[in-house]
Amino acid sequence: MLIRSPKDWELSESAATPEKLYRLTHRREFLKTLGLGVATAAFLPRGLLAATAGFPTKVNPAYRDPALKPTPYEFVTGYNNFYEFGTDKSDPKPNANRGWQTEPWTVEVAGLVGNPAKFDVNDLVKQLGGAEQRVYRHRCVEAWSMVIPWDGFPLAKLVALANPKPEAKFLKLSSFVDKKNAPGQREGNLDYPYVEGLRIDEAANELAFIATGIYGKPIPNQNGAPLRLVTPWKYGFKGAKSLVKIEFVAKQPRNTWNIMAPDEYGFYANVNPNVDHPRWSQASERVIGGEGVFGSRQRTLMFNGYEKQVAGLYRGLDLEKNY
Ligand SMILES: Nc1nc2c(c(=O)[nH]1)N[C@H]1C(S)=C(S)[C@@H](COP(=O)(O)O)O[C@H]1N2
Ligand SMILES: [Mo]
């Protein structure tokens, strides 16, 4: 008989595991990541839990390239960019877990749409038919990369639910503002709220995703609980975290990094090894959690390896000018 024991990142393949056992191990792992024992579980304040609808998720086999080896959980959740909680990679993990509440959470769909609405995140996931898991490459503009098993839903589903009017050409996505709980917002290390934008056809591309989890578990605060954008063919900064508003607009919106440093960060943010950042090369990337003390390096791929799915979106566009 063929018995295949699932790897940790395949946890969400719960179909093969008796439900009760799965729930138990799942819960124990989740608590372990919070640094709490199982006994403490009953006393967990509600606010420490991210949105939980859609779990366990189903692995989408179309987005699970066996050649992609997921980055260990500790790196995915301990090496982060989330300026609201500090500028060091190690800041978000402690600082986003000091009482900042990500449940309950409301996200607003607004602007040029037929169905403007405010959604509780859990209700939204249910309305969209649950959540799935996809393993994507994740490439930061700072020339490092990871491989992350995300859980969530295709952004295209939310676009369809919103029912955009013909004048809607772009999405403007806004992160939360909470000066009391976000030290970076008190310092004003960036202009807040953190905002991002996508062309509507980019948002409707099969790859664009809203993550509500990683590794088959609710997404930790430091990764953008309870919902964040994931566009794997673009640099990580496109992936605005902890969204409170998704607006459909007629004009191309500005995005935070473009506002802060327009010579260095454009609107498109497509991963492109042929267009260097003014201060460093984008031809290669450091693999976080890779072999060796400093990780390993690998060549960066055009559109981060997703050329087949997205190259058509940019046909005829000068990618040196539109970086
Ligand atoms: N709200 C918000 N979203 C954000 C950021 C941020 O500072 N604030 N940083 C971005 C950058 S630069 C990157 S590389 C990714 C990092 O996501 P990760 O920490 O889950 O790897 O989040 C992006 N989303
Ligand atoms: Mo980044």
Side-chain angles (χ1 to χ4, degrees):
M1 204 171 86
L2 241 178
I3 300 175
R4 186 171 157 278
S5 62
K7 303 202 173 58
D8 182 46
W9 61 277
E10 291 177 306
L11 256 182
S12 56
E13 238 175 340
S14 57
T17 318
E19 170 116 314
K20 214 169 147 196
L21 182 69
Y22 172 76
R23 282 239 181 88
L24 261 176
T25 49
H26 185 277
R27 187 156 177 76
R28 215 170 274 142
E29 294 244 339
F30 176 50
L31 294 172
K32 212 164 58 192
T33 67
L34 288 172
L36 303 168
V38 177
T40 337
F43 307 104
L44 252 189
R46 221 172 104 78
L48 269 182
L49 298 168
T52 48
F55 293 93
T57 58
K58 279 200 206 83
V59 170
N60 183 335
Y63 303 97
R64 202 180 56 178
D65 178 352
L68 292 183
K69 193 172 166 276
T71 304
Y73 188 83
E74 282 62 40
F75 288 94
V76 177
T77 59
Y79 188 91
N80 300 101
N81 269 334
F82 201 171
Y83 275 45
E84 284 86 337
F85 296 100
T87 53
D88 280 359
K89 301 284 178 287
S90 57
D91 286 339
K93 186 178 174 179
N95 292 346
N97 292 289
R98 291 209 170 96
W100 175 49
Q101 308 281 308
T102 56
E103 156 132 49
W105 189 278
T106 304
V107 59
E108 184 181 1
V109 174
L112 304 168
V113 294
N115 296 324
K118 286 185 179 170
F119 297 97
D120 168 78
V121 173
N122 286 315
D123 291 342
L124 178 64
V125 172
K126 283 182 208 149
Q127 265 199 54
L128 295 177
E132 60 176 67
Q133 186 177 86
R134 298 178 173 196
V135 179
Y136 280 161
R137 294 188 187 85
H138 180 61
R139 170 61 156 82
C140 176
V141 75
E142 298 161 334
W144 52 262
S145 73
M146 299 189 191
V147 171
I148 304 182
W150 299 107
D151 303 273
F153 55 84
L155 179 54
K157 282 194 182 182
L158 190 143
V159 172
L161 181 68
N163 189 20
K165 296 182 175 165
E167 315 90 85
K169 305 287 186 225
F170 296 90
L171 269 66
K172 178 186 171 189
L173 305 103
S174 307
S175 297
F176 77 105
V177 178
D178 180 348
K179 278 200 176 179
K180 184 166 166 277
N181 287 297
Q185 294 187 338
R186 286 199 299 275
E187 286 163 19
N189 58 14
L190 291 177
D191 283 352
Y192 292 107
Y194 190 98
V195 287
E196 255 307 334
L198 286 173
R199 254 172 29 197
I200 200 160
D201 58 340
E202 295 181 312
N205 182 271
E206 59 167 305
L207 291 174
F209 201 66
I210 297 289
T212 58
I214 55 169
Y215 269 92
K217 303 164 198 173
I219 193 165
N221 284 357
Q222 62 267 32
N223 294 85
L227 80 169
R228 58 89 59 85
L229 175 65
V230 178
T231 47
W233 71 99
K234 292 176 179 285
Y235 292 121
F237 69 86
K238 265 286 151 187
K241 295 178 169 183
S242 306
L243 299 172
V244 295
K245 196 169 184 181
I246 301 175
E247 237 176 312
F248 290 70
V249 297
K251 284 203 197 116
Q252 182 175 300
R254 293 293 297 276
N255 47 307
T256 293
W257 283 103
N258 177 253
I259 294 165
M260 301 310 292
D263 297 340
E264 302 188 11
Y265 309 107
F267 172 78
Y268 280 96
N270 287 324
V271 176
N272 188 344
N274 308 314
V275 177
D276 286 340
H277 184 279
R279 291 184 282 134
W280 59 80
S281 163
Q282 295 290 20
S284 71
E285 63 206 36
R286 189 163 52 93
V287 180
I288 302 297
E291 251 84 291
V293 191
F294 303 104
S296 48
R297 284 201 88 81
Q298 65 188 21
R299 207 166 56 84
T300 291
L301 301 170
M302 189 65 203
F303 296 118
N304 206 23
Y306 299 102
E307 202 164 359
K308 199 172 78 181
Q309 292 94 329
V310 301
L313 292 169
Y314 310 107
R315 215 148 273 146
L317 198 70
D318 181 340
L319 296 179
E320 297 229 0
K321 280 200 193 114
N322 298 280
Y323 51 91

